Amino acid sequence: MADLGNLDNPDYPSFTTGQAAKMLGVQEAFLRSLDAADLVRPQRSDGGHRRYSRRQLTLVIRLREQLDEGHTLTAAARIIGLQDQLADAENTIHYLRAQLDQR
């Protein structure tokens, strides 16, 4: 019987390079270039093939959007990093405000 425990895990490496490229509408070479640039590091299967998680595919989409807006790959990665830092800071502020409200 198949192990279905990872169906909801966004970090489980479910997708091959070909599957990921087809779903995202990008070339496989684009995915390989993100790996070479150390921006999206897929896990490797026992045979050495790249396997992408849903979380990684979301990052690829975000990078592609930034590139489509005319940013370089380096700038796109920096923008996404800053967006993520801002979201984390906003979550922390929300949590701390909720803690203060309980006092």
Side-chain angles (χ1 to χ4, degrees):
M1 180 182 255
D3 177 14
L4 302 179
N6 288 311
L7 286 178
D8 292 329
N9 181 350
D11 294 311
Y12 185 74
S14 304
F15 305 99
T16 65
T17 303
Q19 291 169 327
K22 186 173 182 176
M23 286 189 320
L24 301 178
V26 300
Q27 297 293 318
E28 291 182 31
F30 176 67
L31 295 174
R32 289 190 297 272
S33 72
L34 295 178
D35 186 6
D38 263 349
L39 295 175
V40 179
R41 296 302 311 244
Q43 291 188 22
R44 298 287 182 147
S45 68
D46 291 340
H49 301 283
R50 291 173 178 89
R51 302 287 293 191
Y52 293 86
S53 69
R54 289 193 327 256
R55 190 179 315 274
Q56 289 172 321
L57 297 185
T58 299
L59 177 55
V60 171
I61 291 168
R62 292 175 69 196
L63 287 164
R64 181 78 255 168
E65 288 169 349
Q66 292 297 320
L67 294 171
D68 290 346
E69 289 181 15
H71 299 288
T72 65
L73 191 54
T74 301
R78 183 71 178 136
I79 289 166
I80 289 170
L82 291 170
Q83 287 172 336
D84 290 346
Q85 286 178 358
L86 178 59
D88 289 344
E90 288 172 341
N91 288 336
T92 300
I93 290 167
H94 178 73
Y95 171 78
L96 292 173
R97 283 187 177 151
Q99 294 297 312
L100 285 172
D101 289 345
Q102 290 179 359
R103 290 182 178 187

